[in-house]
């Protein structure tokens, strides 16, 4: 049809010729419901996607938020609680006193100290210093306070060269300890630090003797992997640091190449084994030619710990106070000062790494 003579145009022309005012043809209207529906569907899709999608968090954010729990263990005199004991199927957690025979607060102090360095937040350093002064005072009358808090003592000494810390480091009788106790009480690290601080060959000789004794039975059975982690972390890697003898490094690599610690943790949920393993892997990543492999393994272990045992408020397990849980053999639920401080330190080391937060635990 000719557009000039279409019904619509003909009507318009007729109106013009007769002088009448044309009536506009109304535009078709759309249902408001039809217009609103796509928007509603889009909003719902975004909400569902946000709920089910994984959320990312940096190692530094994990470390910083975990201090919300650790701060609850601080005492007015500078000391710290041993942690919290939490009731199952409840939000109630009660204070847990420090074990007098193993008053291990050192990793918590170390955690605050390293976090202060990473963030520049002086409040973390104040907490570390207060607890460190408490340790110095207490270990004058209790040598176990020096022995079990050796790590921050050595860190403070190497950073400040203040003789107070060195004298506290020298008080425990590490040279007279048995090989079994050297391994079990993490004294290999302490012997290496004392050798570095004093140059006394007796400390290195003691460490090497224990390392050689362990290599006689290396590698151990896969069923002894917890003990092997302890040996690598507490003896073999410190021995390599003190001697630069590659056999200690090779033995450490051989062990971690033989199994997947993250997979093993996902089955057993042994948090202290995972922590020591991750610490050993991070140390190994600094000295091995395949450092990126061990860095990645440490990331995988910490991801499992974060996903399964971090009591964050978005997916709370007990009360959502950002504490890491330790599920013991008798099924008690603990949040240990030691473990939380140690994990702060490890996540600070991996401060720029991204971790995934699960929407379900």
């Amino acid at each position: 049809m000719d557009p000039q003579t279409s019904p619509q145009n003909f009507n318009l022309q007729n109106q013009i010729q007769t002088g009448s005012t044309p009536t506009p043809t109304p535009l078709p209207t759309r249902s408001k419901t039809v217009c609103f529906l796509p928007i509603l569907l889009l909003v719902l899709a975004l909400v569902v996607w946000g709920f089910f999608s994984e959320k990312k968090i940096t190692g530094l954010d994990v470390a910083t938020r975990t201090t919300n729990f650790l701060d609850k263990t601080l005492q007015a005199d500078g000391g710290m609680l041993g942690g919290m004991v939490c009731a199952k199927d409840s939000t109630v957690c009660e204070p847990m006193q420090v074990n007098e025979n193993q008053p291990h607060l050192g990793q918590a102090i170390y955690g605050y100290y390293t976090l202060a360095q990473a963030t520049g937040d002086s409040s973390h350093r104040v907490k570390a210093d207060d607890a460190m002064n408490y340790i110095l005072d207490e270990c004058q009358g209790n040598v176990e306070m020096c022995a079990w808090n050796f790590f921050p003592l050595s860190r403070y000494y190497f950073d400040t060269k203040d003789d107070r810390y060195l004298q506290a480091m020298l008080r425990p009788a590490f040279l007279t300890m048995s090989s079994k106790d050297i391994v079990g009480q993490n004294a290999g690290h302490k012997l290496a630090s004392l050798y570095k601080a004093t140059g006394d060959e007796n400390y290195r000789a003691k460490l090497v003797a224990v390392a050689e004794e362990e290599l006689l039975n290396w590698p151990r059975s896969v069923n002894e992997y917890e003990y092997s982690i302890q040996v690598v972390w507490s003896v073999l890697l410190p021995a390599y640091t003190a001697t630069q003898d590659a056999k200690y490094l090779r033995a450490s690599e051989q062990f971690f190449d033989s199994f997947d610690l993250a997979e093993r943790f996902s089955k057993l949920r042994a948090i202290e084994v995972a922590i020591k393993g991750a610490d050993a892997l991070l140390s190994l990543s600094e000295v091995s030619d395949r450092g990126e492999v061990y860095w990645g393994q440490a990331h995988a272990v910490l991801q499992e710990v974060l996903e399964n045992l971090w009591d964050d408020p978005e997916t709370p397990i007990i009360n959502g106070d950002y504490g890491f849980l330790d599920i013991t053999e008798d099924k008690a639920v603990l949040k240990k000062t030691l473990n939380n401080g140690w994990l702060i330190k490890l996540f600070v080391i991996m401060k720029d790494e991204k971790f995934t937060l699960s929407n379900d635990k």
Side-chain angles (χ1 to χ4, degrees):
M1 177 181 292
D2 185 351
Q4 295 283 336
T5 60
S6 67
Q8 182 176 5
N9 284 336
F10 177 81
N11 183 47
L12 178 59
Q13 292 171 2
N14 184 54
Q15 290 170 340
I16 294 173
Q17 291 172 0
T18 60
S20 61
T21 302
T23 302
T25 303
L27 294 174
T29 60
R30 299 179 63 185
S31 167
K32 293 182 180 179
T33 303
V34 174
C35 293
F36 181 70
L37 185 59
I39 299 174
L40 177 61
L41 291 175
L42 177 60
V43 171
L44 288 174
L46 290 173
V47 170
V48 171
W49 179 83
F51 180 80
F52 287 104
S53 65
E54 296 175 334
K55 299 175 183 178
K56 299 293 184 180
I57 187 172
T58 67
L60 186 60
D61 283 337
V62 175
T64 302
R65 295 182 191 184
T66 302
T67 61
N68 284 279
F69 165 77
L70 202 60
D71 286 350
K72 297 194 301 184
T73 70
L74 297 172
Q75 303 295 286
D77 61 358
M80 304 180 77
L81 296 171
M84 298 287 175
V85 182
C86 303
K88 291 188 64 177
D89 304 320
S90 172
T91 60
V92 178
C93 295
E94 299 292 339
M96 180 175 68
Q97 298 304 313
V98 174
N99 183 338
E100 293 183 359
N101 296 319
Q102 298 180 0
H104 205 331
L105 307 175
Q107 293 290 359
I109 299 172
Y110 212 122
Y112 279 127
Y113 187 91
T114 55
L115 188 57
Q117 291 188 319
T119 63
D121 186 340
S122 60
S123 68
H124 300 310
R125 180 60 186 267
V126 170
K127 297 166 191 173
D129 289 349
D130 287 346
M132 192 74 262
N133 289 331
Y134 173 84
I135 297 299
L136 283 176
D137 290 341
E138 290 294 313
C139 78
Q140 298 304 312
N142 179 9
V143 70
E144 295 300 331
M145 192 66 76
C146 302
W148 287 96
N149 297 287
F150 188 93
F151 291 107
L153 285 170
S154 62
R155 179 62 181 268
Y156 270 73
Y157 172 69
F158 289 124
D159 284 357
T160 69
K161 294 300 185 291
D162 189 326
D163 191 61
R164 294 179 302 159
Y165 305 118
L166 178 59
Q167 294 307 311
M169 292 164 61
L170 291 168
R171 292 200 68 217
F174 297 124
L175 290 176
T176 61
M177 291 174 65
S178 67
S179 296
K180 179 180 178 180
D181 287 341
I182 292 290
V183 175
Q185 297 184 27
N186 312 326
H189 270 294
K190 300 164 188 178
L191 291 167
S193 293
L194 286 167
Y195 169 68
K196 178 182 177 181
T198 67
D200 187 338
E201 286 289 340
N202 289 315
Y203 293 115
R204 183 164 69 169
K206 179 72 172 182
L207 174 58
V208 167
V210 178
E212 290 296 320
E213 188 175 333
E214 289 297 332
L215 286 185
L216 292 175
N217 299 308
W218 201 262
R220 289 181 171 271
S221 163
V222 67
N223 295 325
E224 298 179 278
Y225 83 100
E226 291 187 24
Y227 182 80
S228 298
I229 288 175
Q230 183 75 14
V231 170
V232 171
W233 176 71
S234 178
V235 176
L236 296 183
L237 288 176
Y240 175 69
T241 300
T243 67
Q244 294 300 298
D245 190 327
K247 64 184 174 183
Y248 304 126
L249 176 59
R250 287 196 299 269
S252 301
E253 293 173 328
Q254 178 188 30
F255 170 68
F256 279 112
D257 289 344
S258 68
F259 80 114
D260 187 332
L261 179 56
E263 181 180 353
R264 185 67 60 90
F265 171 79
S266 69
K267 296 177 181 178
L268 300 180
R269 305 289 175 84
I271 188 170
E272 292 187 3
V273 176
I275 290 172
K276 287 182 181 178
D279 202 332
L281 284 164
L282 288 173
S283 297
L284 194 54
S285 74
E286 294 179 356
V287 295
S288 171
D289 291 337
R290 297 166 52 236
E292 69 283 354
V293 172
Y294 303 113
W295 180 271
Q297 290 184 23
H299 185 285
V301 173
L302 291 178
Q303 174 61 57
E304 287 290 333
V305 174
L306 182 70
E307 188 169 342
N308 292 285
L309 297 178
W310 198 38
D311 196 3
D312 66 290
E314 291 193 20
T315 53
I317 304 174
I318 302 293
N319 56 13
D321 63 358
Y322 290 112
F324 284 92
L325 277 65
D326 180 9
I327 312 299
T328 63
E329 291 183 1
D330 61 359
K331 305 304 180 184
V333 181
L334 309 178
K335 296 180 181 180
K336 292 184 179 179
T337 300
L338 164 64
N339 292 340
N340 279 270
W342 203 335
L343 283 164
I344 287 174
K345 183 190 79 171
L346 297 181
F347 278 107
V348 167
I349 293 173
M350 305 197 84
K351 61 186 177 68
D352 296 323
E353 291 290 322
K354 295 291 182 60
F355 294 88
T356 300
L357 287 180
S358 172
N359 286 309
D360 187 28
K361 286 187 173 71

